[in-house]
Amino acid sequence: MDNQLLNHLQLGTLLSADDQLAILDAFEYRTYKEGATLFQSAHICRQLFFVCKGILRILAQSENGNEVTHYFISENRFCTILNSFINRVVAHETIEAACDAEVLSIDRAALMDLYEKYPALKTAIDNSIQKTLLEKINTRNAYLGYDSSERYRLFLERQPDIANRVSLGDIASYLGITQQSLSRIRRKQ
């Protein structure tokens, strides 16, 4: 799992083996069962997660109390509630394991210490997070203006790795439709 993080960040030529080990030692390996909460809303998010295996989902409660999935985060991506993590404000979103997951986790304070020692690490993580944000925006924008049946078709086309690994309820929530509607759409295809 550890090499997965270093490979993703591509720091091999920028940092010595000892520096790479120091970075890895700052991260904690954790496993979560499907449905487990990694971070609960109404708190300040102080953790950055790197997904080694599985899928995480960022969700919030709608005004009527329903869970709304904002986004799925799959392998080799960082996950946090970015505004809360950076600005130290209370988050309105929750992070859950959408399926069994293995992650590397680091506390904000420990990450800031690493950034001071290894500026290349900050650049690599910032670039990775920026890439993920752009993917998220492009993916969500791709679904705009389409009816539920077309959104589901696009979801299967654009995110097949997620479609086969998370619950139908999570998919329906993400696409903004009811689970019953999603079941009808699936039967027609």
Side-chain angles (χ1 to χ4, degrees):
M1 297 303 150
D2 295 344
N3 285 339
Q4 191 173 350
L5 173 64
L6 293 176
N7 289 341
H8 174 75
L9 294 174
Q10 299 177 354
L11 294 173
T13 59
L14 299 174
L15 298 172
S16 71
D18 287 344
D19 290 343
Q20 291 178 38
L21 281 175
I23 290 169
L24 292 176
D25 285 345
F27 283 82
E28 182 180 338
Y29 173 78
R30 296 180 180 175
T31 60
Y32 295 93
K33 293 290 184 190
E34 180 178 339
T37 300
L38 285 74
F39 169 75
Q40 182 63 51
S41 65
H43 296 91
I44 296 173
C45 189
R46 292 182 172 88
Q47 296 289 314
L48 177 68
F49 304 98
F50 178 77
V51 183
C52 298
K53 186 176 179 184
I55 298 171
L56 305 182
R57 74 178 181 127
I58 296 176
L59 64 125
Q61 296 290 321
S62 67
E63 290 178 10
N64 61 6
N66 294 330
E67 285 185 356
V68 177
T69 300
H70 288 300
Y71 197 64
F72 295 105
I73 309 288
S74 58
E75 288 92 355
N76 295 313
R77 292 194 173 54
F78 287 97
C79 180
T80 191
I81 307 300
L82 198 56
N83 184 47
S84 179
F85 186 78
I86 291 172
N87 298 313
R88 296 183 219 155
V89 296
V90 171
H92 303 287
E93 302 87 2
T94 295
I95 302 172
E96 278 187 4
C99 61
D100 291 352
E102 299 174 16
V103 303
L104 294 174
S105 173
I106 188 166
D107 181 83
R108 185 183 191 283
L111 185 62
M112 295 303 125
D113 289 344
L114 286 178
Y115 283 173
E116 284 185 34
K117 294 177 189 169
Y118 311 107
L121 177 66
K122 179 173 180 8
T123 301
I125 289 177
D126 285 352
N127 287 342
S128 178
I129 289 171
Q130 183 178 22
K131 180 181 174 191
T132 300
L133 283 172
L134 291 173
E135 288 172 3
K136 175 183 173 182
I137 291 166
N138 289 334
T139 299
R140 292 301 289 181
N141 286 347
Y143 300 137
L144 294 175
Y146 290 105
D147 67 18
S148 55
S149 162
E150 187 63 13
R151 282 195 310 271
Y152 181 64
R153 187 193 67 73
L154 286 170
F155 173 73
L156 292 175
E157 184 180 292
R158 293 180 68 99
Q159 298 176 279
D161 58 319
I162 293 171
N164 295 324
R165 296 165 52 194
V166 302
S167 75
L168 285 180
D170 290 349
I171 294 170
S173 167
Y174 178 62
L175 296 175
I177 57 180
T178 66
Q179 193 167 344
Q180 294 82 3
S181 294
L182 180 56
S183 293
R184 281 193 295 275
I185 291 167
R186 287 170 45 103
R187 278 195 299 271
K188 289 180 183 177
Q189 291 186 342

